[in-house]
Amino acid sequence: MCIRDREMASQPSLKRALEAYVAYMEGRSEDARVVLEGLEEDRKESRAWVAFLHGLLGETQGFKECLSLYPRHPWSREIKLLMGQAFLEEGVGEEALGYLMSLESDRDPQVYLLMGKIYHQMGNLLAARNYLDRVLSGGKGEERKEAAALVARLARQKEEWDKVASALKVLLQGASGEEALNLKKELVEAYIKGGRTKDARKVLEELEDVSDLWAAMARVLEERRDWREALEAWDKVGGPRGGLGKGRVLLAMGKTAQAREALEKALEGETREEALYLMAQGAWEEGDADGCLKLLREIDEEVLRSLPQAAHLLARA
């Protein structure tokens, strides 16, 4: 972007404005302010350039004044985008919406992203999603990723897990290292909560030290009574927690002997009390009332009172 030399030669004030702009572009904002001090110009166009420079220096109302003085400013599109970003950062993005809407016909993802952010800030989530979805479908690079991050956040609030997963897959493109690992964990969580356990498993197989996610998936599989898949998932969890989960599933399948064997691995730490209850339940189902009673009496009384089912089983035994 430049101002014609002929125009500059005939307008000394614009020469100074250009000097201020060059200083700004070189990172010398204070020098730019000094050049602009006391700069006056009667012509509207010249005043508009000065107002624009004040906008660049942080006086965002300068952008509005610039377009008011010079509606057909050659940089009007760029000025409107700068206004949108500046007013968004100040928390008053709605002031720039009217200007940005005049750029909608350009179908520019940069414009849509700004409008999506502004509507989100205003609390109009429906309009925000509308514009952000346009960025996802037609945008590229950082703009698309920025829109995907915001879409994932909005969809998570509404528990739209398929949309969360789609947005996260956009963010994964080009991600690496710790960032990619964290995104994959979030993707697995979205798949699990959305009931897409097969997709979750594919991602989980690539990861290490994600027993919490395997446990979450195992619980979803239990709810769906997909016993075989649930057992495999609890195997991935391992340790006392995995043994407890396997024992619970095996009991549901009617395999009490195998359940008891799995539950013995959970008789330590915070899983002990629940493992004892499940073993007692297995003993009752086998007709061993004495064994059931013995196991129930090993459970801490306070914990026993917090488990209504265990208290009921104790009374029956």
Side-chain angles (χ1 to χ4, degrees):
M1 294 184 287
C2 65
I3 303 174
R4 292 174 300 175
D5 292 340
R6 185 174 57 190
E7 183 182 3
M8 299 302 297
S10 64
Q11 299 179 43
S13 60
L14 281 185
K15 283 185 178 181
R16 292 180 63 188
L18 181 58
E19 288 175 24
Y21 179 68
V22 170
Y24 170 79
M25 294 300 290
E26 291 177 351
R28 298 181 289 113
S29 296
E30 287 306 314
D31 290 344
R33 286 192 176 88
V34 170
V35 174
L36 288 175
E37 280 180 8
L39 184 58
E40 296 180 2
E41 174 60 54
D42 291 334
R43 292 185 54 186
K44 283 188 176 181
E45 289 183 11
S46 301
R47 286 162 53 201
W49 281 106
V50 174
F52 165 67
L53 286 163
H54 280 291
L56 287 179
L57 292 169
E59 301 167 32
T60 49
Q61 292 298 327
F63 292 135
K64 290 178 69 175
E65 184 183 350
C66 174
L67 292 180
S68 174
L69 291 166
Y70 193 178
R72 298 196 177 192
H73 196 292
W75 298 355
S76 61
R77 180 184 178 280
E78 289 75 13
I79 291 170
K80 289 173 184 178
L81 290 172
L82 286 168
M83 284 175 63
Q85 188 60 48
F87 284 122
L88 175 68
E89 290 170 2
E90 292 178 4
V92 288
E94 63 271 17
E95 287 193 38
L97 276 178
Y99 296 95
L100 291 172
M101 284 177 178
S102 68
L103 302 177
E104 274 196 87
S105 58
D106 296 346
R107 298 184 179 180
D108 185 343
Q110 189 178 12
V111 176
Y112 291 152
L113 177 60
L114 261 177
M115 294 182 74
K117 286 180 174 181
I118 290 171
Y119 275 119
H120 176 249
Q121 187 182 77
M122 292 167 61
N124 188 339
L125 302 188
L126 186 62
R129 280 285 296 273
N130 177 37
Y131 285 105
L132 293 170
D133 284 341
R134 295 186 199 182
V135 182
L136 287 181
S137 61
K140 295 179 181 178
E142 289 305 312
E143 287 165 3
R144 191 164 183 253
K145 285 191 172 184
E146 200 171 342
L150 193 47
V151 166
R153 190 192 314 166
L154 293 174
R156 190 178 279 111
Q157 290 171 1
K158 289 184 169 291
E159 299 187 356
E160 297 173 341
W161 301 114
D162 282 348
K163 290 186 181 294
V164 173
S166 296
L168 289 172
K169 283 193 283 188
V170 171
L171 292 172
L172 267 168
Q173 295 171 12
S176 60
E178 192 70 22
E179 181 190 8
L181 176 61
N182 291 332
L183 286 170
K184 285 181 179 180
K185 288 179 179 179
E186 289 184 44
L187 180 59
V188 169
E189 183 182 19
Y191 280 147
I192 291 171
K193 289 182 176 179
R196 295 170 59 179
T197 52
K198 288 184 179 178
D199 291 321
R201 179 181 287 275
K202 287 178 185 177
V203 182
L204 278 171
E205 295 289 358
E206 303 172 6
L207 305 176
E208 298 178 357
D209 300 324
V210 284
S211 59
D212 285 348
L213 291 174
W214 278 110
M217 189 168 78
R219 285 190 286 270
V220 171
L221 291 165
E222 279 188 59
E223 291 172 6
R224 286 164 42 174
R225 297 179 177 273
D226 192 341
W227 306 126
R228 184 180 64 80
E229 295 284 340
L231 283 175
E232 290 180 7
W234 282 120
D235 263 334
K236 298 287 187 179
V237 176
R241 187 166 52 153
L244 184 68
K246 283 185 69 176
R248 185 170 55 246
V249 172
L250 288 165
L251 271 179
M253 296 170 69
K255 299 182 178 182
T256 52
Q258 291 173 263
R260 183 165 53 250
E261 184 179 339
L263 290 166
E264 285 173 355
K265 298 175 182 178
L267 290 173
E268 58 181 78
E270 59 186 29
T271 60
R272 180 177 181 276
E273 311 294 341
E274 192 174 349
L276 285 168
Y277 161 64
L278 291 172
M279 290 174 73
Q281 184 181 326
W284 179 262
E285 290 175 5
E286 289 179 323
D288 182 5
D290 288 340
C292 172
L293 190 58
K294 181 180 178 182
L295 287 163
L296 288 171
R297 283 176 173 164
E298 288 187 45
I299 300 176
D300 182 89
E301 288 186 13
E302 187 174 340
V303 175
L304 192 62
R305 283 194 296 271
S306 69
L307 295 170
Q309 293 170 317
H312 178 65
L313 184 59
L314 176 62
R316 293 175 68 191

